[in-house]
């Protein structure tokens, strides 16, 4: 039986309640360290092993520590480590990052913590929010979406949130996608309603050549308890009660049992590509890959792929990713593969010193993880320009170098039919086709390419399925730039 200790005078007092309850506010039980809940705090020097560490960036981060919940502290520390790493990697001229915390649930065998990140870089200041939920019975730390029963419940919540925000002037509804990093902060208000909050700028409309506008600040949607109730998991139901308690239970016992493996949270896409073994001699696999996005035309490419039920791989660049992050989320949500095409789309061998390579490699991976939760495994150097120094940096960052076997030459100004003919004529089993979604010719030729390859018996897979790459390797292994 779990040991529970009632809140007493020696424990952390609950945070003061506002004079008038704010329906969009997630309940806060404790907002700072005390006799029971203590705090770990750190600075930049506490995170020395990141692949890219820019100079003169202020880091000040903290998380709570609960008696009996060491596993929760370890998990929170890991999440903060990831946030520091990704801020360092993705930010333009980063200035600083601060992460503060609040306890938002304590009881029913559940602890809930809300992390609030405040960051500043070239594009200004903005805040980000995330909630994490500790289950005392198993020692598991759940993401916000684990308050929900399953992916179907997340999809239904996504629809309800869309209804709530339909008329919001600062919301582009295309940004609402049922992926974990869109729904990484969920909690409950004082009435027990479900509150979903979004990072500054996460749902803002596209501003060409700029990141989405963060000035509208935090945007929240409130789903009343009756509508939200059927969507909750067991953890979610207990978390709701633990958010409303008048006597927070801040000390817990060590878990009785540990999970054999962590559950896959709703909003994590695990299936990319059809169920086919491309190493089978009888298989005819082909991977369509798209470089240089995401751009406006990427949405049209995704529409075609969805209509044709085709899975593909997308290699993204830095500025387009900052401008249209919602498209990275859509690529991920629809089961396609995301890859890294370097930050500035310049030759890795001619334009950057060895000291500059880490930033060029780290940026896109950090940005994709921030938008989706997915850790990129593939890197494609622009123009196929690579050498031993580039390969060594990719290996250091745990990436495989993935090139192509067929160049569509859609970038040369060729017309639609010429591009389609070239692809269809040159593809062989386990072929990887180089395409570019910013090119109008590519969008025009894509339906014909799919139709004709399908007629020849090809199955459309991801680049990973076609090459089976491993970190530190180059694929195809005999790449010499002449494919």
């Amino acid at each position: 039986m779990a040991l529970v200790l009632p809140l007493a005078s020696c424990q952390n007092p609950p945070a003061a309640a506002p004079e008038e309850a704010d329906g969009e506010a997630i309940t806060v039980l404790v907002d700072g360290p005390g006799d029971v809940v203590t705090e770990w705090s750190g600075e930049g020097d506490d995170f020395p092993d990141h692949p890219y560490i820019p100079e003169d960036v202020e880091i000040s981060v903290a998380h709570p520590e609960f008696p009996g919940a060491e596993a929760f502290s370890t998990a929170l520390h890991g999440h903060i480590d990831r946030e520091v790493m990704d801020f360092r990697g993705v930010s333009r001229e980063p200035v600083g990052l601060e992460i503060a915390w609040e306890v938002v649930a304590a009881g029913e065998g559940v602890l809930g913590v809300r992390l609030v990140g405040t960051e500043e870089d070239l594009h200004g200041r903005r805040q980000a929010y995330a909630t994490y939920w500790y289950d005392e019975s198993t020692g598991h730390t759940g993401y916000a979406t684990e308050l929900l029963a399953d992916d179907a419940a997340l999809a239904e919540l996504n629809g309800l949130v869309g209804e709530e925000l339909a008329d919001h002037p600062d919301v582009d509804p295309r940004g609402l996608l049922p992926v974990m990093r869109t729904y990484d902060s969920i909690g409950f208000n004082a009435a027990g309603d479900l509150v979903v909050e979004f990072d500054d700028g996460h749902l803002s409309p596209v501003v060409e050549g700029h990141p989405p506008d963060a000035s509208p600040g935090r945007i929240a949607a409130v789903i009343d308890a009756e509508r939200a109730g059927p969507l909750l998991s067991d953890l979610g139901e207990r978390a709701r009660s633990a958010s409303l308690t008048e006597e927070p239970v801040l000390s817990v016992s060590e878990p009785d049992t540990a999970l054999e493996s962590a559950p896959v949270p709703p909003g994590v896409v695990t299936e990319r590509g059809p169920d086919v073994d491309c190493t089978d001699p009888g298989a005819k696999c082909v991977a369509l890959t798209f470089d240089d996005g995401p751009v406006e035309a990427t949405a049209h490419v995704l529409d075609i792929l969805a209509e044709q039920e085709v899975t593909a791989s997308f290699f993204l660049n830095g500025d387009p990713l900052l401008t249209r992050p919602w498209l990275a989320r859509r690529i991920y949500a629809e089961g396609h593969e995301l890859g890294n095409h370097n930050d500035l789309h310049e030759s890795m061998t001619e334009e950057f010193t060895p000291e500059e390579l880490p930033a060029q490699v780290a940026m896109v991976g950090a940005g994709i993880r921030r938008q989706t939760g997915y850790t990129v495994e593939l890197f494609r150097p622009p123009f196929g320009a690579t050498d031993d120094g580039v390969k060594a940096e990719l290996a250091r960052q745990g990436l495989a170098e993935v090139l192509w076997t067929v160049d569509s030459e859609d970038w040369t100004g060729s017309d639609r039919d010429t591009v389609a003919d070239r692809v269809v004529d040159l593809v062989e089993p386990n072929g990887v086709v180089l395409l570019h979604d910013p090119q109008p010719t590519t969008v025009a030729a894509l339906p014909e390419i799919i139709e004709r390859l399908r007629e020849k018996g090809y199955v459309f897979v991801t680049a990973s399925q076609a090459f089976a790459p491993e970190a530190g390797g180059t694929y195809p292994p005999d790449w010499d730039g002449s494919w």
Side-chain angles (χ1 to χ4, degrees):
M1 179 178 295
L3 173 66
V4 294
L5 301 178
L7 185 69
S9 59
C10 64
Q11 295 182 314
N12 303 69
E19 293 183 4
E20 186 174 343
D22 179 358
E24 292 187 353
I26 292 175
T27 58
V28 177
L29 304 182
V30 175
D31 59 6
D35 293 337
V36 177
V37 180
T38 58
E39 178 181 90
W40 177 90
S41 61
E43 299 178 346
D45 290 344
D46 294 295
F47 305 94
D49 57 348
H50 292 164
Y52 171 61
I53 303 177
E55 297 180 355
D56 301 322
V57 176
E58 295 293 327
I59 303 292
S60 177
V61 296
H63 64 74
E65 295 187 318
F66 300 86
E70 285 75 14
F72 196 20
S73 296
T74 299
L76 290 173
H77 194 86
H79 294 309
I80 286 177
D81 186 308
R82 180 198 63 201
E83 292 305 319
V84 173
M85 178 173 63
D86 289 346
F87 171 72
R88 286 169 162 174
V90 78
S91 298
R92 297 282 194 249
E93 299 181 19
V95 175
L97 170 67
E98 177 183 351
I99 297 179
W101 59 269
E102 301 166 336
V103 178
V104 297
E108 300 288 335
V110 175
L111 296 170
V113 168
R114 178 177 182 254
L115 299 181
V116 180
T118 304
E119 63 183 54
E120 183 176 1
D121 63 9
L122 171 67
H123 301 296
R125 290 171 62 87
R126 54 196 170 272
Q127 288 192 314
Y129 318 93
T131 57
Y132 298 98
W133 305 85
Y134 179 72
D135 188 341
E136 177 187 5
S137 65
T138 62
H140 172 64
T141 297
Y143 289 90
T145 57
E146 291 181 65
L147 298 179
L148 305 172
D150 50 28
D151 283 305
L154 176 58
E156 186 171 345
L157 176 63
N158 190 67
L160 294 175
V161 170
E163 293 174 9
E164 291 293 317
L165 300 180
D167 298 322
H168 198 295
D170 299 310
V171 170
D172 182 344
R174 296 176 301 177
L176 277 172
L177 291 154
V179 300
M180 185 182 71
R181 288 307 301 266
T182 291
Y183 288 91
D184 55 8
S185 191
I186 303 175
F188 302 89
N189 65 16
D193 302 322
L194 192 71
V195 178
V196 181
E197 59 182 352
F198 301 95
D199 298 349
D200 297 0
H202 190 86
L203 299 179
S204 293
V206 171
V207 180
E208 200 64 51
H210 297 275
D213 183 10
S215 65
R218 173 184 182 269
I219 289 175
V222 180
I223 311 300
D224 70 69
E226 185 175 351
R227 298 183 78 184
L231 305 180
L232 299 180
S233 63
D234 172 71
L235 176 65
E237 292 173 350
R238 289 187 288 126
R240 179 179 179 276
S241 297
S243 300
L244 302 177
T245 183
E246 295 181 0
E247 296 187 354
V249 180
L250 299 168
S251 296
V252 298
S253 66
E254 296 290 341
D256 296 329
T257 59
L259 295 174
E260 292 185 3
S261 60
V264 177
V268 172
V269 180
T270 58
E271 294 184 6
R272 279 177 287 277
D275 184 12
V276 57
D277 180 4
C278 294
T279 64
D280 185 332
K284 295 182 69 175
C285 294
V286 61
L288 303 181
T289 68
F290 298 87
D291 288 8
D292 301 354
V295 295
E296 183 177 358
T298 306
H300 302 302
V301 170
L302 289 169
D303 289 342
I304 294 169
L305 296 177
E307 181 179 352
Q308 297 293 329
E309 298 183 345
V310 165
T311 303
S313 299
F314 291 80
F315 292 85
L316 309 186
N317 290 119
D319 284 344
L321 174 60
L322 289 177
T323 299
R324 288 181 170 81
W326 73 272
L327 273 173
R329 300 196 293 273
R330 181 179 168 188
I331 291 168
Y332 175 77
E334 295 184 0
H336 302 290
E337 183 172 49
L338 284 157
N340 185 337
H341 196 38
N342 112 340
D343 182 3
L344 298 179
H345 199 271
E346 300 286 351
S347 169
M348 302 284 285
T349 58
E350 297 178 4
E351 299 296 329
F352 305 109
T353 66
E355 293 75 22
E356 292 171 325
L357 286 179
Q360 286 298 309
V361 174
M363 187 277 176
V364 172
I368 288 173
R369 186 164 44 240
R370 275 192 154 194
Q371 295 300 322
T372 66
Y374 175 66
T375 296
V376 168
E377 299 175 344
L378 308 183
F379 186 95
R380 173 174 286 168
F383 319 111
T386 186
D387 59 19
D388 289 344
V390 172
K391 296 175 192 294
E393 182 58 36
L394 297 182
R396 189 179 76 88
Q397 297 198 30
L399 295 165
E401 184 176 57
V402 168
L403 297 135
W404 56 87
T405 64
V406 176
D407 182 353
S408 69
E409 297 190 356
D410 56 352
W411 48 274
T412 63
S414 299
D415 61 28
R416 179 196 66 183
D417 292 338
T418 300
V419 169
D421 287 344
R422 178 174 175 81
V423 170
V424 173
D425 291 344
L426 294 180
V427 161
E428 295 180 353
N430 284 5
V432 174
V433 179
L434 172 65
L435 297 157
H436 299 81
D437 35 333
Q439 298 294 330
T441 299
T442 302
V443 181
L446 185 56
E448 182 179 349
I449 291 172
I450 293 171
E451 179 181 0
R452 291 172 62 185
L453 288 178
R454 201 166 252 160
E455 288 174 350
K456 296 178 73 170
Y458 279 95
V459 176
F460 296 96
V461 299
T462 65
S464 288
Q465 287 178 291
F467 279 151
E470 296 182 1
T474 294
Y475 303 86
D478 51 350
W479 171 261
D480 61 4
S482 63
W483 293 90

